Amino acid sequence: MSQVTNLSKDFELLKEAVLKAGEIAMEKFGSGEFKSWLKDGNEPVTEIDLKVNKSLKETLIGARPDYGWLSEESTDDKARLKKEFVWVVDPIDGTRAYIKGTPDFSISVALLENNVPVLGVIFAPALEKFYEAAKGSGCFLNGEKVEVSRAKNLAGMRLQSDPGYIGNTPRWHHPWPDINVSKFQSFALRLAAFSAGEADAVLAARPKSEWDIAAGSILIAEAGGILCDQNGEPFAFNQEITRLHQIVAVTSPLKEEFLKIVNARVSKSNP
């Protein structure tokens, strides 16, 4: 069986697993009838995060037991570092939104081949938006092919970022032009929206993890956009340290001017 055929089967498996996970997430969405608590100091998690994670792992690793696994809600098994294929999973990205009963949360799953994303799905079940991409096949939203925005100027652009972060005037040596700033609670969903031309750029206000951006990375690449750090460099995946810094998603026409402002922050320690 060819590798292309294998990836095609993996893609169908991935989509099936994420759709099932979406059903699980929606069972109690908006009800408040679930347990939640804080982990790692101040990060919320719910029993639904764990239930979705369990379902995804049972389906994906159950069918591909030789693949590696990296998930926000699983103990990190470093055996993944030596695997050719690795699932990278955020069972519910935007847990705060899920707890509040707002729809801007998502399920984000990517498949890496030799540490490079080759398949990706980001599903926002409460918004009924299913973003998907396979390497070399384009990016799709609910079955329709999509591309990144064609915006050519920063002025007036739609930026997915923290409004308070962007509006903190003393932070920026070069102030932003008049732009529209908003954000989904789910960072993965921000990247997905960018891939579909629903936003013109994304800027992270703080560090993220591989599971926040792996699926978005392949979506953006297939939609014609750029995901990089503040120096314009791509990210490496399936690393021992999974924390990532200075995350930017931008189109080619906007990249130079956008990064010029980003690199002119007064403080670069907490992007």
Side-chain angles (χ1 to χ4, degrees):
M1 185 179 293
S2 71
Q3 187 57 58
V4 172
T5 304
N6 278 338
L7 280 180
S8 177
K9 289 182 177 296
D10 285 348
F11 200 21
E12 292 308 310
L13 174 69
L14 170 58
K15 289 186 281 187
E16 173 190 333
V18 172
L19 284 170
K20 180 181 177 182
E23 292 177 359
I24 293 170
M26 292 303 292
E27 286 174 359
K28 292 189 176 181
F29 174 66
S31 71
E33 297 176 356
F34 49 83
K35 295 178 182 178
S36 65
W37 59 94
L38 295 178
K39 64 175 183 178
D40 300 331
N42 197 37
E43 290 296 317
V45 65
T46 73
E47 63 180 301
I48 309 302
D49 292 73
L50 303 185
K51 191 174 181 180
V52 169
N53 188 66
K54 182 174 184 289
S55 174
L56 288 167
K57 190 170 186 179
E58 285 178 349
T59 301
L60 297 173
I61 294 297
R64 302 290 186 268
D66 54 335
Y67 286 15
W69 181 263
L70 174 63
S71 170
E72 180 175 12
E73 305 304 342
S74 297
T75 301
D76 189 5
D77 182 354
K78 300 295 185 181
R80 65 178 171 80
L81 296 171
K82 296 182 180 180
K83 297 286 187 177
E84 180 180 5
F85 293 95
V86 179
W87 298 111
V88 182
V89 177
D90 197 337
I92 293 186
D93 185 47
T95 299
R96 287 185 174 88
Y98 188 89
I99 292 171
K100 292 177 182 176
T102 58
D104 52 330
F105 68 93
S106 71
I107 298 161
S108 178
V109 186
L111 179 65
L112 310 181
E113 180 181 6
N114 295 319
N115 301 341
V116 177
V118 291
L119 301 176
V121 169
I122 296 175
F123 183 29
L127 296 173
E128 299 183 341
K129 289 190 172 186
F130 192 92
Y131 304 83
E132 60 182 279
K135 187 176 181 180
S137 298
C139 180
F140 295 81
L141 167 57
N142 293 346
E144 298 292 329
K145 192 169 185 179
V146 291
E147 296 179 346
V148 295
S149 161
R150 297 185 180 183
K152 296 181 179 179
N153 299 295
L154 293 189
M157 77 171 180
R158 300 160 298 167
L159 175 63
Q160 276 282 325
S161 189
D162 187 332
Y165 177 67
I166 299 299
N168 185 353
T169 304
R171 184 184 298 277
W172 308 100
H173 282 304
H174 296 302
W176 292 92
D178 186 17
I179 60 177
N180 300 303
V181 186
S182 61
K183 72 169 186 176
F184 292 120
Q185 187 64 51
S186 163
F187 189 75
L189 188 54
R190 298 178 213 173
L191 298 179
F194 169 72
S195 75
E198 299 167 333
D200 302 312
V202 181
L203 177 62
R206 54 184 58 86
K208 303 294 180 184
S209 297
E210 287 190 28
W211 46 76
D212 294 307
I213 76 166
S217 176
I218 181 68
L219 292 177
I220 290 168
E222 290 299 314
I226 299 166
L227 182 70
C228 61
D229 66 15
Q230 67 178 31
N231 298 315
E233 296 297 323
F235 293 101
F237 293 95
N238 197 30
Q239 302 299 297
E240 186 162 1
I241 297 174
T242 60
R243 206 66 170 156
L244 303 170
H245 301 265
Q246 293 103 27
I247 301 164
V248 169
V250 69
T251 62
S252 182
L254 298 181
K255 180 181 177 182
E256 183 176 355
E257 189 177 1
F258 191 88
L259 291 183
K260 182 177 180 180
I261 294 180
V262 170
N263 278 297
R265 283 192 308 272
V266 174
S267 173
K268 299 180 181 178
S269 60
N270 185 27

